[in-house]
Amino acid sequence: MSATLLASIAGLPSFLSFFFLAVLLLLLFARIYSWLTPHDEVTLIQANNPAAAVAFGGALIGFGLPLASAITHSISLADCAIWGAIALVIQSLTFVAVRLTIRRLPERITQGELAAGIFSACCSVTVGLINSASMTF
């Protein structure tokens, strides 16, 4: 094998470690987010509820942004896990804050009101961007 190929493959264990940590954190976030919401996102999405799909998709993107920043800027896998957990808490609290701000948000999403889903998604993405930019330590 050439030295270049061996050098490229040498980074594979680190890539896999960070990738699987990110997937684990993403699944954990999705589960916690689902616990925070009184509606079942997956069931609503399977029933073709666009508001639920937009809100949940926005929440996933909103979490993915700071998670990507944590991966980029961390000095170790443990450091990434810590900042990923911080992002998870902040993004989870974002839904709680939006729910307190918009009356009957979960019911409106359950009823398929796109305005509620879009607003929730936009708040998640906006906080995710701020969260991500704040992780440029």
Side-chain angles (χ1 to χ4, degrees):
M1 291 192 142
S2 73
T4 307
L5 182 59
L6 288 175
S8 293
I9 293 173
L12 186 60
S14 291
F15 164 80
L16 291 173
S17 297
F18 281 94
F19 181 80
F20 286 118
L21 174 63
V23 169
L24 178 67
L25 286 168
L26 183 65
L27 292 172
L28 182 62
F29 171 75
R31 188 69 194 127
I32 290 171
Y33 183 87
S34 294
W35 283 335
L36 289 174
T37 62
H39 50 273
D40 182 356
E41 284 79 10
V42 175
T43 301
L44 290 173
I45 293 167
Q46 289 172 340
N48 200 27
N49 182 317
V54 169
F56 191 53
L60 292 175
I61 293 168
F63 177 66
L65 290 166
L67 185 56
S69 183
I71 292 168
T72 301
H73 296 101
S74 64
I75 57 173
S76 68
L77 197 59
D79 188 42
C80 181
I82 290 167
W83 286 103
I86 291 168
L88 188 148
V89 170
I90 291 171
Q91 292 304 123
S92 297
L93 291 175
T94 298
F95 175 79
V96 173
V98 173
R99 184 177 177 186
L100 292 173
T101 305
I102 303 299
R103 286 183 287 143
R104 301 182 324 99
L105 178 67
E107 294 85 4
R108 293 173 67 185
I109 290 173
T110 300
Q111 293 168 359
E113 290 186 28
L114 269 175
I118 291 169
F119 183 74
S120 179
C122 289
C123 289
S124 292
V125 171
T126 300
V127 171
L129 285 167
I130 295 167
N131 194 356
S132 176
S134 298
M135 290 187 186
T136 58
F137 39 87

